[in-house]
Amino acid sequence: MSKDVPNISEAEWEVMNVLWDSSPKTANEVIYSLQEKTEWKAKTVRTLLDRLVKKNVLRVNKDQRIYTFYPLYSQDECQKAEAKSFIQRIYGGTVKSMLVQFMEDDNLSEDEIKELREILDDKPDTRK
């Protein structure tokens, strides 16, 4: 990914999830979707939409009578950027430290361990 994905807050993730599920959507459609699972007022959702537009995470289509919003980044791009940011902040950029702590603190089933081993075995060596 050549472009840097801006950081988005937890509340902004909720808005993005609605738009990744189906877009483009009008502000009212986003508000309705979020009011089904949050207690946010319409003004709060509009503020979040405006923030995401200013961060260049969303774009507004103004060609129609009613404005519609759509994401500029895929969910996968945002998840990867968030994971990278988390690993950098919490583990100093070392994935191994995160994995070791996770493996020590979590009880993994034999199937999960087998699946992780297969993923590691299949990962190409990109170090040169």
Side-chain angles (χ1 to χ4, degrees), residues 9 11-12 46-56:
S9 70
E12 291 166 343
R46 288 184 190 278
T47 299
L48 292 168
L49 287 167
D50 288 342
R51 271 197 227 156
L52 289 164
V53 169
K54 286 179 185 166
K55 289 182 177 184
N56 290 317

Side-chain angles (χ1 to χ4, degrees), residues 20 26-27 31-32 40-41 65 78 85 91-92 115 128:
W20 284 321
T26 66
I31 290 165
Y32 179 75
W40 296 344
K41 303 285 185 215
R65 189 174 58 89
C78 289
S85 172
Y91 296 98
E115 184 178 351
K128 300 270 177 167

Side-chain angles (χ1 to χ4, degrees), residues 14-15 18 29-38 40 45:
E14 292 295 327
V15 173
V18 167
E29 290 171 328
V30 174
I31 290 165
Y32 179 75
S33 293
L34 287 168
Q35 284 178 336
E36 291 178 342
K37 52 185 156 189
T38 69
W40 296 344
V45 177

Side-chain angles (χ1 to χ4, degrees), residues 25-126:
K25 284 189 181 291
T26 66
N28 285 339
E29 290 171 328
V30 174
I31 290 165
Y32 179 75
S33 293
L34 287 168
Q35 284 178 336
E36 291 178 342
K37 52 185 156 189
T38 69
E39 295 181 12
W40 296 344
K41 303 285 185 215
K43 186 175 180 180
T44 300
V45 177
R46 288 184 190 278
T47 299
L48 292 168
L49 287 167
D50 288 342
R51 271 197 227 156
L52 289 164
V53 169
K54 286 179 185 166
K55 289 182 177 184
N56 290 317
V57 178
L58 292 182
R59 176 85 23 95
V60 183
N61 182 354
K62 298 179 180 181
D63 294 339
Q64 303 167 345
R65 189 174 58 89
I66 298 175
Y67 294 175
T68 57
F69 296 84
Y70 60 93
L72 295 176
Y73 297 94
S74 70
Q75 187 172 21
D76 186 57
E77 287 174 311
C78 289
Q79 287 171 338
K80 285 179 182 176
E82 188 69 25
K84 188 175 182 179
S85 172
F86 172 79
I87 292 167
Q88 186 61 45
R89 279 189 334 266
I90 307 301
Y91 296 98
T94 308
V95 175
K96 178 185 169 195
S97 297
M98 181 193 69
L99 291 175
V100 167
Q101 183 176 5
F102 176 74
M103 299 288 283
E104 289 174 348
D105 292 347
D106 198 10
N107 294 325
L108 297 174
S109 70
E110 286 299 320
D111 287 341
E112 290 170 324
I113 292 169
K114 182 181 175 190
E115 184 178 351
L116 287 171
R117 279 196 180 111
E118 288 172 2
I119 291 168
L120 290 171
D121 288 344
D122 292 344
K123 182 168 177 29
D125 189 3
T126 56

